[in-house]
Amino acid sequence: MPGPFTTQLLSVTTGQAETVTDLTEDCERFLHEAAGGRDGLLNVFVPHATAGIAIIETGAGSDDDLLAALHTLLPPDDRWQHRHGTPGHGRDHVLPAFVPPHATLPVIAGRLELGTWQSVCLVDTNRDNPRRQVRLSFLG
């Protein structure tokens, strides 16, 4: 039986476009081994200054709507003080204030306790960094 705390690092390739990447299946695979049927908490954390974790519906347009809303709230133009990288890259460093770099979710009997249409997603607007790491940690 696994210990009370287990962690794993995922490598995710997001490419060179703004993306919402569904991590739900990765989380479920991790919990299948780490939780051992126990109740607890899953923490999902992206250790990057320009990405976040969102719990949203995917596949019905909500993921594209989120990117469109972020594009409106945080336009990729030259208004940002942080200016290295692709033009407008400073907005990517503001993203975690709107989409936090973590989420903590309930696990019941070893299974992720999400609503019917909820998915765990990596939100990445930074086109300069196509590779991301996501840390999954189970405490139970």
Side-chain angles (χ1 to χ4, degrees):
M1 181 160 160
F5 180 80
T6 307
T7 189
Q8 175 185 336
L9 197 60
L10 298 177
S11 293
V12 180
T13 301
T14 56
Q16 295 186 343
E18 298 177 4
T19 62
V20 175
T21 304
D22 191 339
L23 303 174
T24 309
E25 287 184 17
D26 295 298
C27 292
E28 290 171 346
R29 272 193 297 276
F30 169 71
L31 288 172
H32 180 73
E33 292 183 21
R38 294 174 292 151
D39 293 352
L41 296 171
L42 172 67
N43 182 264
V44 184
F45 175 71
V46 56
H48 297 281
T50 59
I53 300 295
I55 310 301
I56 63 167
E57 178 180 10
T58 59
S62 296
D63 39 352
D64 291 331
D65 289 342
L66 173 59
L67 291 175
L70 290 171
H71 202 272
T72 299
L73 289 169
L74 305 171
D77 58 24
D78 64 358
R79 74 183 70 200
W80 308 100
Q81 300 299 310
H82 189 106
R83 294 187 185 262
H84 75 84
T86 301
H89 172 66
R91 75 183 286 249
D92 301 325
H93 288 273
V94 177
L95 172 76
F98 292 89
V99 181
H102 59 86
T104 300
L105 305 163
V107 176
I108 306 299
R111 304 220 31 185
L112 193 55
E113 194 70 12
L114 291 173
T116 302
W117 304 112
Q118 290 180 318
S119 296
V120 180
C121 297
L122 170 65
V123 179
D124 187 1
T125 59
N126 182 357
R127 297 182 314 252
D128 295 337
N129 187 355
R131 290 186 197 80
R132 298 298 186 161
Q133 293 184 330
V134 177
R135 179 163 300 280
L136 304 178
S137 300
F138 174 74
L139 179 63

